[in-house]
Amino acid sequence: MTDWDLLLTDARIATMRPDLPDYGVIGDGAVAIRDGAIAWVGPADQLPARSAAATLSVARRWITPALIDCHTHLVFGGDRAHEFELRLQGQSYEEIARRGGGILSTVRATRDASHDELLAAAMPRAEALRASGAATLEIKSGYGLDADTEIRMLEVARQVGATSGMTVRTTLLAAHTVPPEFADDPDAYIEMICNELIPRVAEHGLADAVDAYCESIAFSAEQVERLFECATDAGLAVKLHADQLSACGGAELAAQFNALSADHLEHSSIGGIEAMARAGTTAVLLPGAFLTLGETQCPPVAALRENGVAIAVATDCNPGTSPLLSVREAMALGCRLFGLTPEECLAGTTRRAAHALGLEDRGRIEAGTRADLAVWDIEHPRDLSYWLGRDPLAGLFIAGRDVSLS
Ligand code: DI6
Ligand code: FE
């Protein structure tokens, strides 16, 4: 019997421990893994004399926690490259949406797609995110907008996790936009979600949380409030697409329900940010959507920092506003577009992203956490936010298993 399953040596380690400054760096370190978890981590000269079934030198490469993409819409039919061209010709996102394009065009393509077709389209996207260093993804529904298709999307999302070996957290986003069947009565659609969909989803354990799009082209704060009451009653966590295109009181609403996260936040008020701080709600910033939509108003990063709100960064991978398939690239954009520091971006895709998903067992490298580790060909962790266009991933371990080549 050996003490450890695997010992990684000759490593520079960015532990991302919250109690340490400067990425929690260990300049010459080792990580020991047992039963899928980290058994020991520290400086090489303090390595205890234990036996390991296998030892692997990472040759001075950097080890960080594997990345976590805490906001994606990875499962969908079709794509929206044509609308991308229309927007470049001057049509706005809202205009296209009001004409029945936008989210509703993806809804049509998703309703037409079978389980297997949705899975076949989603898997290469999940693999691209994994190749960027991710071991954990959140995937939302929201392109079905009827009970059966929403459930199909969640089942496909769960299967993406089972097939890829990544952890997938699923989120019911039935309140993404008003479906055509309820165009005259959006309140009745919210009632359908509350009375039919949430109970079915909760009964079968298909979603970990409930999300909504609070926006003039989607749902009002009052409608989201009703939805969040139902979700909370069903024991599901909530999160919110908040204040992306206009100020809707989204940050305040998310805080009122102790949401895991409020996402986007470009138009949030200072009062909303203060409420998030009191509630412990994470701010998930999404530079890919900001870039694609050509937005000019940045999220209130200074106020988030001043109030001590945890900042996460994610891809928002979706066909309409953020066709972005690299978590690391989202970090690079977070620095350039929002003025985040490279360290904030790495924290934002590791321990902050874990917290935004309610997962406290990962996102930092310390004894007892999951052995989800990324190995990088870089000279410093800041390089992860510096490079554009190439993900310098040299290895990936998920629960201690080397998945680099699979
Ligand atoms: N996330 C969303 O859900 C919406 N915008 C965003 O950033 C819309 C996605 C879409 O257009 O399909
Ligand atoms: Fe989104």
Side-chain angles (χ1 to χ4, degrees):
M1 260 290 278
T2 50
D3 298 310
W4 294 328
D5 301 328
L6 177 63
L7 177 64
L8 300 174
T9 62
D10 299 311
R12 292 181 280 181
I13 305 170
T15 64
M16 301 312 287
R17 267 174 49 177
D19 53 326
L20 298 178
D22 296 332
Y23 301 88
V25 166
I26 300 170
D28 178 14
V31 185
I33 297 167
R34 188 192 164 99
D35 296 334
I38 294 167
W40 187 87
V41 55
D45 60 7
Q46 294 174 23
L47 184 66
R50 301 271 169 80
S51 58
T55 299
L56 180 69
S57 164
V58 300
R60 300 286 298 150
R61 292 188 179 87
W62 279 86
I63 299 180
T64 70
L67 305 183
I68 297 169
D69 197 350
C70 67
H71 180 143
T72 87
H73 309 247
L74 205 70
V75 174
F76 55 85
D79 68 46
R80 306 243 289 282
H82 174 59
E83 290 183 9
F84 174 65
E85 286 186 322
L86 292 178
R87 285 211 310 276
L88 290 170
Q89 288 158 18
Q91 291 189 33
S92 76
Y93 180 70
E94 287 94 331
E95 253 176 310
I96 293 170
R98 286 187 211 287
R99 286 202 198 121
I103 294 173
L104 285 181
S105 70
T106 302
V107 169
R108 287 189 290 275
T110 304
R111 286 180 177 179
D112 283 348
S114 68
H115 176 104
D116 288 351
E117 287 165 342
L118 289 174
L119 183 66
M123 277 306 293
R125 297 177 199 135
E127 277 156 18
L129 291 173
R130 192 173 69 172
S132 79
T136 301
L137 306 178
E138 184 256 18
I139 303 179
K140 302 172 195 297
S141 68
Y143 292 120
L145 311 187
D146 62 41
D148 288 346
T149 316
E150 286 292 306
I151 283 175
R152 185 156 79 250
M153 288 187 73
L154 293 171
E155 287 169 345
V156 170
R158 286 273 194 243
Q159 206 175 336
V160 168
T163 312
S164 69
M166 303 167 87
T167 299
V168 169
R169 299 291 276 184
T170 57
T171 301
L172 177 69
L173 177 59
H176 198 183
T177 197
V178 181
E181 298 79 8
F182 288 89
D184 298 331
D185 196 355
D187 289 339
Y189 179 58
I190 295 287
E191 289 311 308
M192 189 286 281
I193 301 173
C194 286
N195 300 327
E196 183 182 343
L197 200 41
I198 288 180
R200 272 176 73 182
V201 162
E203 186 192 339
H204 296 103
L206 282 171
D208 304 300
V210 170
D211 192 352
Y213 197 33
C214 186
E215 199 56 66
S216 54
I217 51 172
F219 295 95
S220 69
E222 293 70 33
Q223 287 162 336
V224 173
E225 202 171 331
R226 164 80 182 127
L227 176 74
F228 278 4
E229 276 163 9
C230 301
T232 308
D233 287 348
L236 291 166
V238 298
K239 56 178 77 178
L240 188 63
H241 282 73
D243 307 321
Q244 179 191 10
L245 306 171
S246 59
C248 320
E252 289 86 340
L253 185 60
Q256 184 190 326
F257 283 87
N258 293 312
L260 286 172
S261 68
D263 303 31
H264 290 289
L265 305 178
E266 277 82 345
H267 295 268
S268 292
S269 71
I270 299 300
I273 300 305
E274 289 167 352
M276 284 175 62
R278 286 191 297 273
T281 296
T282 298
V284 178
L285 304 188
L286 304 166
F290 181 92
L291 175 73
T292 304
L293 291 176
E295 297 286 309
T296 50
Q297 182 160 332
C298 284
V301 170
L304 293 171
R305 287 179 183 138
E306 274 158 31
N307 287 282
V309 176
I311 299 175
V313 175
T315 63
D316 195 13
C317 175
N318 78 69
T321 63
S322 192
L324 175 58
L325 286 169
S326 164
V327 183
R328 202 205 47 75
E329 204 87 21
M331 297 163 61
L333 293 176
C335 291
R336 284 158 178 85
L337 298 174
F338 297 159
L340 297 174
T341 67
E343 187 170 4
E344 283 174 322
C345 286
L346 185 55
T349 54
T350 55
R351 68 167 190 271
R352 300 307 201 183
H355 189 63
L357 295 178
L359 296 171
E360 302 302 340
D361 64 343
R362 67 195 71 192
R364 59 194 192 283
I365 303 180
E366 61 185 318
T369 61
R370 251 174 85 96
D372 284 1
L373 303 169
V375 185
W376 305 96
D377 256 325
I378 51 174
E379 276 310 310
H380 190 275
R382 70 170 78 90
D383 297 0
L384 296 175
S385 294
Y386 170 63
W387 291 107
L388 294 168
R390 182 179 86 96
D391 291 317
L393 187 74
L396 186 68
F397 293 84
I398 300 184
R401 204 170 65 83
D402 185 348
V403 298
S404 318
L405 299 175
S406 63

